[in-house]
Amino acid sequence: MERIKTGIAGFDELIQGGIPEGFNVLVAGAPGTGKTIFGLQYLYEGAMEGQNGVYVSLETSYGAAKFQGDQFGWDINKLETDGKLSVLEVPLDKSKINLFEMIEEEVADIKAKRLVFDSLAAFAINMDQFAIPLGKDGDVSPLVKKSTSLLKDKKSKYDVMPEMGMDSKGRFFYAGDSEKRITYLLINELAKLGTTNLVITDANNGDTQLTVDGVSEYVCDGLLFLDILETSTGNPRIMQIKKMRETNHRLDQIPFEINSRGIVLKPIEGFLG
Ligand SMILES: Nc1ncnc2c1ncn2[C@@H]1O[C@H](COP(=O)(O)OP(=O)(O)O)[C@@H](O)[C@H]1O
Ligand SMILES: [Mg+2]
């Protein structure tokens, strides 16, 4: 199995050298815990290794991402000019955006190996702006097909699926599904790209589910949790690898810091050497 080195100092050693290729890894945490920095660093380090990346931005503007990167010496403008990085700033003031086609095209354009989706939480909040695929013709359920044809004939008296449609690639769309299902569909679509993805999302404060949507943590191949501990002494930033399929990893809280190089994990005796 190929593993994709994140390049984040001290992190790859914790996951047997890197993230298994093609995985969707969820990066969850409260605001300010370092999720966006983690994502940008992953893309910068990839570009340095000859692995192009796409940053899908629903939360951070291009300018904000650039300034954030500048602090750590990651020249996002130059990476873009060199065709190593593509920042996809998703317009949230337009409706029925076919986000999936946008992402697919961007990934194909620069032959991306890495992708960062920032964030699932922003996607869920703006869900009604997007056209959501239900699957290609052939793998949609008979019920959905039936509903679509009924809508086409305008014979249905039950207006249950008002925005059904089909895109140029034969995928069915429906705006108005539950947040859980759409999160599930989004992660499924990202998994089909062949890229190794970091999917950023907000953490939940309750203890019954970790993420705000409550479903992405089950669907993803890996789950990385970032947090700031409330202690009176010491470094309060920690990360926890809660899940990484096909990987032997530790489960405890690993301290890290954000310094002039970005995210740096602190050596732990007997583990990082
Ligand atoms: N140059 C820097 N040096 C140290 N810490 C920084 C620097 N820049 C940002 N940070 C820290 O990173 C936080 C923002 O990280 P970010 O990845 O944007 O968080 P998130 O995406 O999880 O909301 C800031 O609140 C600050 O604590
Ligand atoms: Mg962020």
Side-chain angles (χ1 to χ4, degrees):
M1 175 217 304
E2 289 291 318
R3 284 182 187 265
I4 303 292
K5 281 198 195 104
T6 63
I8 290 163
F11 182 66
D12 295 317
E13 296 91 311
L14 299 176
I15 50 168
Q16 293 184 250
I19 300 167
E21 195 172 5
F23 268 25
N24 271 324
V25 175
L26 200 66
V27 181
T33 50
K35 304 181 296 295
T36 296
I37 295 173
F38 194 95
L40 290 173
Q41 194 165 349
Y42 169 70
L43 294 176
Y44 171 80
E45 294 294 341
M48 294 298 105
E49 292 282 314
Q51 297 183 344
N52 297 343
V54 173
Y55 178 67
V56 184
S57 174
L58 278 78
E59 210 163 89
T60 314
S61 70
Y62 179 80
K66 190 195 156 336
F67 293 136
Q68 185 76 285
D70 281 350
Q71 295 189 90
F72 308 112
W74 312 328
D75 194 337
I76 289 180
N77 259 350
K78 184 167 189 315
L79 294 180
E80 275 219 311
T81 314
D82 295 348
K84 293 176 174 174
L85 175 71
S86 174
V87 177
L88 189 60
E89 215 180 326
V90 180
L92 293 175
D93 54 347
K94 299 203 179 91
S95 67
K96 299 295 160 273
I97 299 161
N98 194 333
L99 184 61
F100 301 91
E101 249 178 32
M102 277 176 80
I103 294 175
E104 257 175 14
E105 277 169 21
E106 212 65 35
V107 164
D109 261 11
I110 64 161
K111 298 186 171 61
K113 293 276 279 177
R114 302 181 180 212
L115 181 134
V116 173
F117 190 91
D118 192 1
S119 70
L120 207 53
F123 173 79
I125 291 166
N126 297 285
M127 207 164 73
D128 55 347
Q129 299 293 102
F130 302 106
I132 310 295
L134 291 167
K136 299 227 185 211
D137 193 6
D139 59 43
V140 284
S141 75
L143 179 68
V144 168
K145 269 189 190 163
K146 190 162 170 253
S147 315
T148 314
S149 62
L150 281 175
L151 272 173
K152 274 185 194 149
D153 299 345
K154 293 200 166 69
K155 277 177 190 160
S156 173
K157 58 175 178 173
Y158 306 105
D159 194 22
V160 284
M161 295 190 173
E163 307 199 47
M164 194 75 97
M166 209 193 284
D167 75 357
S168 62
K169 290 181 180 146
R171 282 179 298 210
F172 285 97
F173 285 84
Y174 167 50
D177 216 324
S178 80
E179 189 178 315
K180 282 191 199 313
R181 171 137 176 85
I182 284 168
T183 303
Y184 174 83
L185 288 168
L186 172 76
I187 292 169
N188 253 358
E189 286 297 313
L190 294 179
K192 289 180 200 160
L193 294 168
T195 45
T196 305
N197 308 325
L198 296 185
V199 183
I200 294 173
T201 196
D202 288 349
N204 201 59
N205 284 327
D207 53 7
T208 50
Q209 64 183 47
L210 182 69
T211 55
V212 283
D213 61 82
V215 69
S216 47
E217 62 225 70
Y218 298 98
V219 186
C220 277
D221 304 296
L223 174 55
L224 188 64
F225 179 61
L226 306 186
D227 203 4
I228 300 169
L229 297 182
E230 303 289 332
T231 60
S232 51
T233 53
N235 188 327
R237 291 190 189 278
I238 60 104
M239 72 171 70
Q240 207 173 1
I241 305 160
K242 295 226 176 200
K243 170 176 172 180
M244 189 68 68
R245 287 181 176 144
E246 295 165 47
T247 304
N248 178 14
H249 61 89
R250 54 191 297 154
L251 289 158
D252 57 343
Q253 297 178 332
I254 297 144
F256 74 93
E257 61 183 34
I258 300 175
N259 62 29
S260 60
R261 293 161 58 207
I263 288 177
V264 178
L265 272 71
K266 300 209 157 173
I268 297 165
E269 211 175 322
F271 205 87
L272 292 176

